[in-house]
Amino acid sequence: MRTFRIGFPPNTYEIEEEKTIDDLKQLIQDKTGTNKVIIDLMQPQPPPKTLTNDTKISDVEDRMIILIERPERLFQEGSGPKDLRFYLAKSAASITKMSISTKVLDILQETFLDFVKAFIDKKEVAKKDSEKSEHEDNDSLIDLIGVFFKGELKRHAHSEAYKALSKFSSGKEEWKNGGLNVDAQYLREQFPGHDLSLESWITAAALIEYANAELIEISLLQTQKRHGDKIQAFDLLGATKEDKLLEDFFTSVSEHNGGKQYVTASLADETDDSLAY
């Protein structure tokens, strides 16, 4: 038998080793009442590995991440892309085993997609103004990152982008996404019509992954302070209030998207009992 734990504190489920990933999905659906389950390997690279519905449980040696949603929170017409939440949850799982509410992932998804929109718009303007090729110089990239990331965050954000681009540029198959959880090709597909190379999308994915890690880490501290068992939206709110640089990030994204508000005080009164992972 193989044991799986979902949530924190965990709910425990067991399944026979000869069963498949599809059987595991069905088990989770039956136990939780959800009808959407996504399962992937925690660290698919290197080397790249994939799971299929026919993969036997006995053949899986790596840690898996499981993302579930309540039926009422599934894809809705006109609600926009949802898959980014999976990449964010996968990235967060490398930081903490504590569960994260779907509301937190909803907020982060909306914020980061708007960030990407603003980032690539500014990148295209900079490219036209300088009449340079897609391979921008280091100083230009630092300046662009500095529009959204201030102070110490700017330095770390640039470092993470540089590392991802270096891995991508190595040409190795296992680094074709820059060693990131957030899929650069997925981001590219969400914003068609932009004349940018995959390197630009790798940069955007690296910046999302870095900002996500910072927000999850500070939100986790808020959860621990209140002795909570799951990161909630009001923990995210507390994180932005406690860390001025993170608040500045949200403010910068808001300014480039018509003043849209992502983390508001009203969220502090809301509790989301749905399980992200």
Side-chain angles (χ1 to χ4, degrees):
M1 299 288 286
R2 184 77 67 89
T3 300
F4 293 88
R5 296 178 175 85
I6 302 176
F8 189 90
N11 293 312
T12 302
Y13 308 109
E14 291 187 337
I15 189 170
E16 293 86 354
E17 293 273 352
E18 63 269 18
K19 295 291 186 179
T20 65
I21 292 297
D22 192 53
D23 293 325
L24 177 59
K25 288 181 180 179
Q26 188 60 55
L27 172 67
I28 295 171
Q29 289 173 346
D30 293 342
K31 295 291 186 180
T32 64
T34 185
N35 57 4
K36 183 174 182 66
V37 179
I38 302 175
I39 301 178
D40 200 0
L41 295 173
M42 177 62 200
Q43 295 179 328
Q45 54 182 349
K49 300 177 184 178
T50 58
L51 293 178
T52 68
N53 285 337
D54 295 328
T55 300
K56 288 188 177 181
I57 301 298
S58 58
D59 293 334
V60 180
E61 298 178 354
D62 300 272
R63 182 184 174 193
M64 290 186 288
I65 179 171
I66 300 172
L67 180 70
I68 67 174
E69 290 184 306
R70 297 181 301 178
E72 62 268 28
R73 299 188 70 85
L74 297 181
F75 300 124
Q76 298 176 1
E77 185 176 356
S79 63
K82 296 293 185 182
D83 291 334
L84 181 58
R85 289 179 301 173
F86 173 69
Y87 298 118
L88 297 178
K90 192 173 183 179
S91 179
S94 64
I95 300 171
T96 176
K97 294 181 180 180
M98 187 174 289
S99 181
I100 301 175
S101 78
T102 54
K103 186 182 293 297
V104 170
L105 292 184
D106 286 344
I107 294 169
L108 293 178
Q109 174 184 250
E110 182 179 16
T111 303
F112 290 141
L113 287 177
D114 282 353
F115 159 71
V116 172
K117 179 179 182 298
F119 181 80
I120 61 178
D121 284 347
K122 284 194 165 294
K123 193 168 178 62
E124 286 182 327
V125 169
K127 180 182 176 182
K128 291 177 181 177
D129 289 345
S130 63
E131 296 183 351
K132 291 182 179 180
S133 68
E134 176 58 25
H135 301 275
E136 293 185 283
D137 60 62
N138 195 50
D139 290 340
S140 177
L141 180 59
I142 292 177
D143 290 341
L144 186 56
I145 290 175
V147 172
F148 303 95
F149 296 88
K150 312 300 180 183
E152 196 70 8
L153 290 186
K154 176 182 176 180
R155 182 172 68 84
H156 289 299
H158 177 257
S159 175
E160 293 303 313
Y162 180 78
K163 285 192 294 185
L165 288 171
S166 295
K167 290 179 180 179
F168 172 75
S169 299
S170 71
K172 295 181 180 179
E173 177 65 20
E174 60 265 32
W175 300 128
K176 64 181 180 180
N177 191 53
L180 302 168
N181 285 307
V182 177
D183 188 353
Q185 186 61 44
Y186 164 79
L187 293 180
R188 187 183 220 170
E189 292 169 356
Q190 306 315 308
F191 300 92
H194 291 277
D195 185 24
L196 295 173
S197 75
L198 186 55
E199 288 169 306
S200 294
W201 301 103
I202 291 285
T203 301
L207 295 177
I208 286 177
E209 197 151 307
Y210 168 67
N212 185 59
E214 287 293 317
L215 286 164
I216 293 300
E217 285 180 355
I218 304 301
S219 297
L220 177 61
L221 294 177
Q222 297 294 312
T223 307
Q224 292 171 337
K225 284 181 181 179
R226 62 177 178 82
H227 304 290
D229 59 6
K230 177 170 58 177
I231 298 176
Q232 297 273 10
F234 41 75
D235 297 316
L236 181 60
L237 175 65
T240 62
K241 296 302 181 185
E242 184 165 302
D243 193 308
K244 182 63 167 57
L245 294 179
L246 290 178
E247 184 179 27
D248 288 344
F249 170 76
F250 277 95
T251 300
S252 297
V253 175
S254 175
E255 289 175 349
H256 289 88
N257 286 278
K260 184 188 294 186
Q261 298 299 304
Y262 302 98
V263 187
T264 62
S266 62
L267 290 173
D269 297 325
E270 298 181 21
T271 299
D272 181 9
D273 292 325
S274 59
L275 210 58
Y277 75 86

